Amino acid sequence: MSVGPMRNFAENAKKISIELMESNEDLAEFNEHLTEYYKQLNETWVEAQKKVNLKIPEIPHDAENYEAYKRVWIDIFDNDFTELFDSKHFGENYGHLVSKELELTKHWNNIMNVVLQSANLPNKQEMDEVYREIHSLRKRVSKLEAKVRQYESKEKGK
Amino acid sequence: MKKISNELNIDPKMVENILKFSSNITRASELVSAPDEFNFDSTEYDVAYQEDKARLLHYKPLTKTQHKTPIIIAYALINRYHILDIHPKKSWVKNLLEQGFNVYMLDWGSPSNMDKYLDFDDYVNGYLHNSVEFIKNESSVEQVSLQGYCTGGTIATTYAALHPENVKNFIATAPVIDGWKDTTVISNLAKHMDVDKMVEIVGNMPPEFMYYCFSVLKPFEQGIEKYLNFFNNIENENFVDNFMRVEKWLSETPPIPGALFKQWIRDIYQENLLIQNKMYVGNQHVSLKNITMPIFTQVAVGDHLVSPECSMPLHYGVGSEDKTIRIYPTGHVGMIASSLSQKVVLPELGEWLKERS
């Protein structure tokens, strides 16, 4: 059994190890959603390109019609990708992807909190408390200032 | 060149175009100024009032006489207010000044981590309300005209509902109102977002996330065609000047305070409380029926950021009897910073406002 700084060190090392293990699980899930994300993009690209290929033979290959070709390509790709981004399956997967990315950030934050605390520095949670307190104080000051202004304008009116 | 094009069976003019395009790319750094060299503020102003990072800008008059009721513009939460004064020939602010209006603009500033707890209440009942009170005091008027653009339209709508006694006329320009009817990609992403987790972990909504949201809106037109046009027109000074100003504006998105972002996504896009008269701001119930002053709603058919279906319900939801709606054949930015806005949108707004100011 260790005491003092070594005990702290052991506890911190344990916390960090747990965070790393958990982040591995989240990383695996993040990768699943990332793969699905790129799969959706890739499938949409292939389908859109097929549609463009069907249209190309109708457009002559010269400088005058280059603009027409570009327009067709951009319109088809924009329509197909907007349809994808607007779909439920994209929205859901993207939501999960961002959520897992946030979980990974949370693990990183937790690790940083342990490190900062061991160095006697304020961690994220403590800084959040300070920000919340500043916000509440600013609100109170603003209300008091408004009351003073109201009082002053009443005095001027007298 | 002819030999190459003959061998490949390509129109020689096309090869010529490709070579010119390549040459334009290499010359870009010589022909185009750096974004830092563009100055946005084309119309002169004073900072009339400041609270935390929010600033109330008061533009200097351009006419000898002015209409009695001042107008305050509540800009959006995304990007900065500069788009309303991006170029002297396309400036929303300058046009209103030339029509004889006394114009104020509320610049929300750029929030830092310390501002993550700022919420709707702070923006509506704090910064906007205090600015309106300041203008009333400075101009010796009882009421002001209020204009809200985009998400600033949402803030202005809640303000007009909570403080109707302060608002003489209300102008809603592409306001975000009915999240469930919004047909844009932004709405789909917002509906599937775990906004509580996002704000808890990230704090303020970072600009990078906003850039992602913009990138999925017309990705090929905005991500490819726009830049092809830029390089094709690199010798056209006017085109380059306009392009660079808008690009600079687009790249300067400030973060959105976490608490404000959370309520905005949840109450507008996920639960759609505002249009159902179920929204609360700082424990005060927001009912659109309280908006009884004259209201002018402006929407753009081609708006891919806030669809007309999302903005128009405001016109039908308010309690006003004097209400006007205009639908313009342009987009979200085109409605406020284009030749169409100068020739059609602003003159119509000016006429409407003059009769009521």
Side-chain angles (χ1 to χ4, degrees):
Chain A
M1 288 284 283
S2 59
V3 288
M6 282 314 287
R7 186 188 173 89
N8 269 345
F9 178 78
E11 273 183 12
N12 288 344
K14 190 180 160 192
K15 279 182 200 165
I16 290 174
S17 304
I18 290 170
E19 290 295 337
L20 286 173
M21 279 190 288
E22 285 178 357
S23 66
N24 272 334
E25 284 170 30
D26 285 321
L27 186 64
E29 285 181 50
F30 171 80
N31 281 332
E32 270 175 39
H33 293 297
L34 190 66
T35 308
E36 174 61 23
Y37 176 79
Y38 282 115
K39 190 175 154 233
Q40 289 175 352
L41 292 183
N42 185 48
E43 283 172 358
T44 308
W45 183 284
V46 170
E47 281 309 307
Q49 191 57 54
K50 277 183 193 166
K51 287 181 193 170
V52 172
N53 293 347
L54 284 176
K55 284 260 178 191
I56 289 176
E58 297 166 18
I59 306 166
H61 286 215
D62 54 36
E64 277 72 35
N65 286 291
Y66 165 73
E67 276 301 314
Y69 170 75
K70 196 179 79 182
R71 191 70 267 150
V72 165
W73 190 85
I74 285 173
D75 283 349
I76 290 176
F77 271 74
D78 260 347
N79 282 342
D80 281 23
F81 273 86
T82 302
E83 206 173 290
L84 168 73
F85 297 143
D86 222 4
S87 65
K88 195 179 170 199
H89 69 286
F90 179 85
E92 279 177 353
N93 184 63
Y94 184 71
H96 291 311
L97 178 68
V98 173
S99 179
K100 283 294 147 195
E101 193 183 351
L102 289 169
E103 291 288 345
L104 290 169
T105 310
K106 195 173 180 178
H107 290 304
W108 173 250
N109 287 348
N110 290 344
I111 291 170
M112 286 308 292
N113 282 348
V114 172
V115 174
L116 288 168
Q117 214 155 22
S118 71
N120 266 338
L121 288 168
N123 61 25
K124 188 176 177 290
Q125 204 182 343
E126 286 160 340
M127 284 309 294
D128 278 351
E129 281 172 28
V130 173
Y131 294 152
R132 195 188 285 273
E133 191 61 28
I134 289 173
H135 173 249
S136 150
L137 285 170
R138 284 204 308 209
K139 223 168 176 161
R140 279 172 63 190
V141 169
S142 174
K143 277 182 186 164
L144 289 170
E145 280 178 344
K147 276 187 182 168
V148 169
R149 278 197 300 270
Q150 226 175 358
Y151 176 77
E152 280 175 348
S153 62
K154 265 185 192 172
E155 282 295 300
K156 270 185 195 172
K158 269 185 186 174
Chain B
M1 192 170 69
K2 266 193 176 171
K3 199 181 166 194
I4 298 170
S5 54
N6 285 342
E7 278 173 13
L8 295 172
N9 195 21
I10 299 173
D11 183 353
K13 212 173 164 192
M14 219 155 141
V15 178
E16 196 181 309
N17 287 348
I18 292 168
L19 289 175
K20 184 157 191 308
F21 184 78
S22 310
S23 150
N24 284 353
I25 292 178
T26 47
R27 288 165 62 219
S29 58
E30 297 161 27
L31 295 166
V32 182
S33 313
D36 311 357
E37 291 169 29
F38 289 89
N39 181 23
F40 276 137
D41 300 321
S42 61
T43 311
E44 275 189 87
Y45 63 79
D46 292 320
V47 178
Y49 171 77
Q50 189 154 8
E51 185 178 343
D52 304 332
K53 292 179 178 101
R55 300 183 308 158
L56 179 67
L57 315 180
H58 186 197
Y59 289 90
K60 295 194 171 164
L62 296 176
T63 50
K64 280 183 186 168
T65 55
Q66 291 182 300
H67 301 289
K68 193 182 163 218
T69 310
I71 176 168
I72 173 171
I73 304 171
Y75 182 68
L77 301 170
I78 297 160
N79 295 110
R80 299 291 299 278
Y81 65 95
H82 302 111
I83 193 69
L84 290 162
D85 190 26
I86 198 144
H87 189 279
K89 286 184 181 165
K90 289 180 180 175
S91 168
W92 183 274
V93 169
K94 189 167 174 255
N95 189 299
L96 288 175
L97 290 169
E98 284 169 348
Q99 292 192 58
F101 292 102
N102 181 11
V103 183
Y104 289 84
M105 170 94 73
L106 187 46
D107 165 25
W108 307 111
S110 193
S112 65
N113 282 341
M114 205 173 82
D115 303 307
K116 62 185 274 187
Y117 291 105
L118 289 176
D119 56 13
F120 248 88
D121 184 35
D122 294 299
Y123 273 60
V124 175
N125 295 317
Y127 302 143
L128 182 53
H129 182 61
N130 293 340
S131 297
V132 169
E133 288 296 326
F134 177 89
I135 297 170
K136 278 168 58 183
N137 199 26
E138 193 181 58
S139 309
S140 304
V141 291
E142 289 297 311
Q143 291 179 309
V144 300
S145 291
L146 171 66
Q147 188 202 349
Y149 173 60
C150 185
T151 43
T154 318
I155 290 172
T157 300
T158 51
Y159 183 79
L162 292 175
H163 304 273
E165 71 286 354
N166 280 344
V167 184
K168 191 170 173 68
N169 305 297
F170 178 37
I171 304 116
T173 310
V176 184
I177 303 292
D178 191 333
W180 286 350
K181 285 198 181 141
D182 191 75
T183 56
T184 66
V185 171
I186 298 268
S187 153
N188 188 41
L189 297 182
K191 279 170 196 157
H192 293 93
M193 191 185 286
D194 188 345
V195 71
D196 289 325
K197 188 190 269 186
M198 194 173 245
V199 170
E200 181 210 325
I201 296 169
V202 182
N204 290 337
M205 195 40 47
E208 295 75 26
F209 186 73
M210 300 293 150
Y211 294 141
Y212 178 81
C213 291
F214 296 148
S215 72
V216 296
L217 302 165
K218 297 192 178 181
F220 295 89
E221 194 178 295
Q222 292 297 314
I224 297 175
E225 192 183 24
K226 191 172 81 171
Y227 297 102
L228 291 178
N229 286 343
F230 170 68
F231 286 112
N232 279 328
N233 288 285
I234 208 148
E235 280 160 349
N236 179 339
E237 270 183 47
N238 277 341
F239 183 93
V240 169
D241 184 62
N242 279 330
F243 182 92
M244 290 305 288
R245 280 170 192 270
V246 173
E247 281 298 291
K248 187 181 175 187
W249 170 72
L250 284 171
S251 69
E252 289 186 350
T253 290
I256 300 179
L260 176 70
F261 183 77
K262 188 157 93 176
Q263 193 178 359
W264 179 48
I265 295 293
R266 199 187 51 210
D267 289 6
I268 306 294
Y269 285 111
Q270 293 180 344
E271 295 177 14
N272 201 23
L273 301 181
L274 182 59
I275 194 66
Q276 299 179 71
N277 295 322
K278 289 179 183 170
M279 188 172 169
Y280 280 81
V281 171
N283 297 324
Q284 290 173 280
H285 176 229
V286 180
S287 169
L288 297 180
K289 295 291 169 206
N290 289 342
I291 300 180
T292 51
M293 72 288 298
I295 176 171
F296 190 89
T297 308
Q298 301 171 309
V299 296
V301 175
D303 196 330
H304 62 287
L305 278 166
V306 184
S307 67
E309 295 88 339
C310 173
S311 299
M312 285 163 70
L314 176 67
H315 176 77
Y316 303 101
V318 292
S320 314
E321 284 179 6
D322 179 1
K323 50 186 183 181
T324 307
I325 188 163
R326 287 281 180 272
I327 302 163
Y328 297 105
T330 182
H332 193 71
V333 175
M335 188 154 60
I336 53 158
S338 68
S339 49
L340 181 101
S341 70
Q342 294 291 313
K343 286 178 192 157
V344 183
V345 183
L346 278 152
E348 282 191 0
L349 171 64
E351 279 306 310
W352 183 86
L353 207 50
K354 271 175 209 167
E355 289 169 16
R356 295 161 178 83
S357 293

